[in-house]
Amino acid sequence: MPKAFIDQDFLLQTRTAQLLYHDFAAHMPIIDYHNHLSAKQVAENMVFENITQAWLYGDHYKWRAMRANGVNEEYITGKNTSDRQKFEKWAYTVPYTMRNPLYHWTHLELQRYFDIHELLSANTSNIIYERTSQILQTLQYSTQNLLQKMKVETICTTDDPIDDLVHHEAFNAMNIGIKMYPTFRADKVLEVYTPENYKIYVQKLGESANLNITSLSHLMGALTYRHDYFARRGCKLSDHGLDTIPYAQYNDKDVEASFQKLMRGVKLNSEEISQYQSFVLYHLALLDAQKGWVQQFHIGALRNNNTRLQKIIGADCGADSIGDFTVAQGMAQFFNKLDTENKLTKTIIYNLNPAYNEVFASMIGNFQDGNIVGKIQFGSGWWFLDQKDGMEKQINALSNMGLLSRFVGMLTDSRSFLSFPRHEYFRRILCNILGNDIENGELPNDMNWIGQMVQNICYHNAKNYFNLN
């Protein structure tokens, strides 16, 4: 007889897997150390008017599925359709997402947040829209309470160096039992492809640092000022979204000349871009090492592929995909330079191309220093890979070439306050892999040790790694 859909033993194929999940993983708090939640919405304890606002606004995963299902863009990101109409089109799409992780996530979220076990479809759209929206309009389902409902202990948002972080300060002053830390993401300092836009950003950066930036040293001074500003407000992490880690030989004089070109609106050639980015990224890494921050590198996205959608919606239109960049050599050279100078801080590398899983898993072993447990981490399945198959492949690659037991675990990488069952999804997959190994005789039936290993991966490793004690 077929099992019930998303029952208590969802994804847990063996009795041992079930014991590992229910006895060790299920009740662990959540440390979500990388997401794109709005700090403003957290601090203001926002109450959503309806499920569309909580679920569909800014969700590129759902947008892509709806487009693939023939839904007109007006019902996805358009301004002339109602939230109810957008939800109806999503509900119509959901049955067609079977075997896409969206089908699992959608129904996990309906169950965990709203205790709704009906399948979402065009037939159930109206009743589910009414029921969820009515629930969401209560203070009990405000942003802060949604986090508490999922036992979220810590969240780390993603923030530009020019952000004032007032919402982080306001929220943390409330002392409600959840900590919200900023993350220093200086991608725009590396995006030198359009000089006109770069000059505008540099001016804004200067204003945030009370500095008129007219030279490369001024630029680095402003970044240092903002890095210190973030540190005083509890920041513990930096992040970089890159196609690959740039590494080129340079001298400061040539990089200064490139900066001056950008300020005059002159485009750089490929060699100048590589040298400029290498200089800036290296100096940002030095700042991270000085403060003992964790630096993160999200590598491999081929972004903004559809100019038609980008003109309509903007950069974050859901037209990104997996790239096939050369990643290993530049990464190794960059980390080696820092390691040689004893300036390589804790580092997490996230891979977006599954063909490179073993490249990333083997890379982290090159730069462990024997002093910090799990200093260099192969990050969890990211973006297109944060689904069952992607997580299993990342876990297996890490297991084969590193120490799974020292892994800092899952994160949401999401803009949605309803995305936290993804931690449950990961935990079930992890327990299933380990439970199957035990039942196959590939691991010992030592539930105390392996149960503790599960809890470490779900929670304790991250708490220690990010110095959250």
Side-chain angles (χ1 to χ4, degrees):
M1 175 179 286
K3 290 181 64 177
F5 177 61
I6 307 189
D7 65 0
Q8 66 174 359
D9 294 325
F10 176 55
L11 298 177
L12 305 171
Q13 297 172 331
T14 63
R15 177 61 179 159
T16 305
Q18 294 163 10
L19 288 172
L20 282 173
Y21 177 73
H22 293 299
D23 290 358
F24 295 96
H27 304 295
M28 298 302 292
I30 288 174
I31 295 173
D32 199 64
Y33 55 89
H34 175 70
N35 61 65
H36 298 273
L37 295 180
S38 164
K40 183 175 187 291
Q41 290 179 346
V42 175
E44 295 181 351
N45 204 21
M46 177 181 173
V47 173
F48 295 101
E49 295 178 14
N50 55 60
I51 184 67
T52 300
Q53 291 182 9
W55 232 11
L56 297 176
Y57 283 20
D59 192 328
H60 305 161
Y61 294 85
K62 294 184 177 72
W63 293 359
R64 289 166 68 95
M66 293 165 76
R67 288 169 187 152
N69 202 40
V71 174
N72 186 280
E73 192 65 31
E74 190 60 39
Y75 292 93
I76 302 172
T77 60
K79 301 185 184 303
N80 297 316
T81 50
S82 67
D83 286 346
R84 181 184 288 272
Q85 288 174 311
K86 289 183 173 70
F87 183 80
E88 288 171 351
K89 292 297 184 182
W90 169 239
Y92 157 75
T93 297
V94 167
Y96 295 94
T97 67
M98 286 189 181
R99 300 208 82 241
N100 184 296
L102 282 165
Y103 196 76
H104 284 164
W105 295 342
T106 294
H107 292 99
L108 266 176
E109 290 167 20
L110 286 174
Q111 286 191 21
R112 299 299 179 261
Y113 288 101
F114 306 104
D115 197 27
I116 291 175
H117 294 259
E118 293 93 338
L119 298 180
L120 181 58
S121 67
N123 293 332
T124 59
S125 172
N126 186 58
I127 189 169
I128 289 178
Y129 182 85
E130 291 292 343
R131 197 185 316 174
T132 55
S133 298
Q134 185 177 18
I135 292 171
L136 281 168
Q137 289 170 14
T138 67
L139 185 60
Q140 188 179 358
Y141 278 71
S142 64
T143 53
Q144 294 176 15
N145 286 324
L146 286 169
L147 294 173
Q148 290 179 322
K149 188 175 180 66
M150 290 295 111
K151 300 188 181 72
V152 177
E153 184 179 280
T154 303
I155 56 174
C156 298
T157 58
T158 303
D159 310 279
D160 191 279
I162 68 174
D163 290 346
D164 60 22
L165 306 183
V166 293
H167 301 298
H168 294 80
E169 291 185 279
F171 174 74
N172 289 323
M174 297 176 189
N175 293 318
I176 70 166
I178 301 172
K179 296 294 292 184
M180 179 167 64
Y181 297 104
T183 299
F184 192 84
R185 182 149 170 169
D187 288 3
K188 291 181 180 178
V189 186
L190 299 170
E191 293 172 359
V192 296
Y193 311 103
T194 308
E196 299 81 10
N197 294 341
Y198 193 72
K199 185 175 181 179
I200 293 170
Y201 179 76
V202 168
Q203 182 179 354
K204 291 179 179 178
L205 176 64
E207 291 170 356
S208 71
N210 301 312
L211 180 65
N212 181 27
I213 299 176
T214 61
S215 67
L216 190 63
S217 63
H218 287 163
L219 177 70
M220 300 317 300
L223 286 171
T224 301
Y225 180 94
R226 296 304 299 175
H227 203 271
D228 293 342
Y229 181 93
F230 270 58
R232 290 194 297 272
R233 284 148 185 83
C235 185
K236 298 174 181 291
L237 303 93
S238 70
D239 187 29
H240 306 278
L242 304 167
D243 49 15
T244 186
I245 293 182
Y247 185 83
Q249 298 294 331
Y250 58 81
N251 62 64
D252 292 359
K253 183 178 178 181
D254 289 340
V255 180
E256 176 68 47
S258 293
F259 175 80
Q260 296 302 334
K261 279 186 178 182
L262 290 168
M263 294 303 98
R264 295 196 305 270
V266 178
K267 285 192 174 183
L268 305 183
N269 61 39
S270 59
E271 182 180 8
E272 289 169 329
I273 289 172
S274 183
Q275 291 175 343
Y276 189 89
Q277 291 178 331
S278 297
F279 173 92
V280 173
L281 195 64
Y282 169 73
H283 284 277
L284 288 172
L286 294 183
L287 292 175
D288 292 344
Q290 184 184 55
K291 294 186 175 70
W293 286 6
V294 176
Q295 60 182 357
Q296 303 173 93
F297 297 91
H298 286 82
I299 299 169
L302 185 64
R303 299 177 187 270
N304 302 320
N305 298 291
N306 189 316
T307 53
R308 172 183 57 83
L309 283 174
Q310 192 174 356
K311 287 178 181 177
I312 297 171
I313 304 167
D316 295 321
C317 62
D320 307 318
S321 61
I322 293 171
D324 57 353
F325 310 101
T326 301
V327 299
Q329 188 171 2
M331 187 189 306
Q333 291 174 315
F334 178 71
F335 291 155
N336 185 57
K337 180 178 181 179
L338 293 169
D339 184 78
T340 301
E341 299 172 356
N342 196 28
K343 299 295 184 182
L344 180 60
T345 190
K346 295 178 186 177
T347 301
I348 307 176
I349 51 175
Y350 303 88
N351 173 43
L352 195 57
N353 188 330
Y356 298 155
N357 275 335
E358 283 72 20
V359 173
F360 279 61
S362 63
M363 184 66 70
I364 67 172
N366 296 332
F367 300 104
Q368 307 291 4
D369 66 4
N371 294 313
I372 299 173
V373 170
K375 177 179 179 179
I376 314 299
Q377 292 274 330
F378 176 24
S380 61
W382 168 49
W383 203 341
F384 296 105
L385 304 183
D386 63 352
Q387 26 73 9
K388 182 174 180 288
D389 181 64
M391 291 181 198
E392 289 174 343
K393 287 178 177 176
Q394 186 270 345
I395 289 170
N396 286 329
L398 176 56
S399 299
N400 286 331
M401 299 183 186
L403 299 181
L404 176 65
S405 56
R406 295 303 193 178
F407 180 37
V408 293
M410 188 55 180
L411 45 86
T412 63
D413 191 25
S414 176
R415 293 169 172 79
S416 172
F417 286 88
L418 301 183
S419 67
F420 286 87
R422 292 185 193 180
H423 283 265
E424 175 187 339
Y425 200 61
F426 166 82
R427 292 173 180 185
R428 288 176 178 272
I429 290 166
L430 172 68
C431 291
N432 190 60
I433 290 172
L434 295 172
N436 286 348
D437 284 352
I438 291 171
E439 299 225 353
N440 290 335
E442 297 176 53
L443 288 176
N445 187 21
D446 186 343
M447 294 299 284
N448 288 331
W449 177 262
I450 295 178
Q452 183 61 58
M453 174 179 164
V454 166
Q455 292 186 330
N456 288 342
I457 294 169
C458 293
Y459 174 73
H460 294 295
N461 287 348
K463 192 175 182 71
N464 293 328
Y465 189 76
F466 298 107
N467 296 320
L468 300 176
N469 292 305

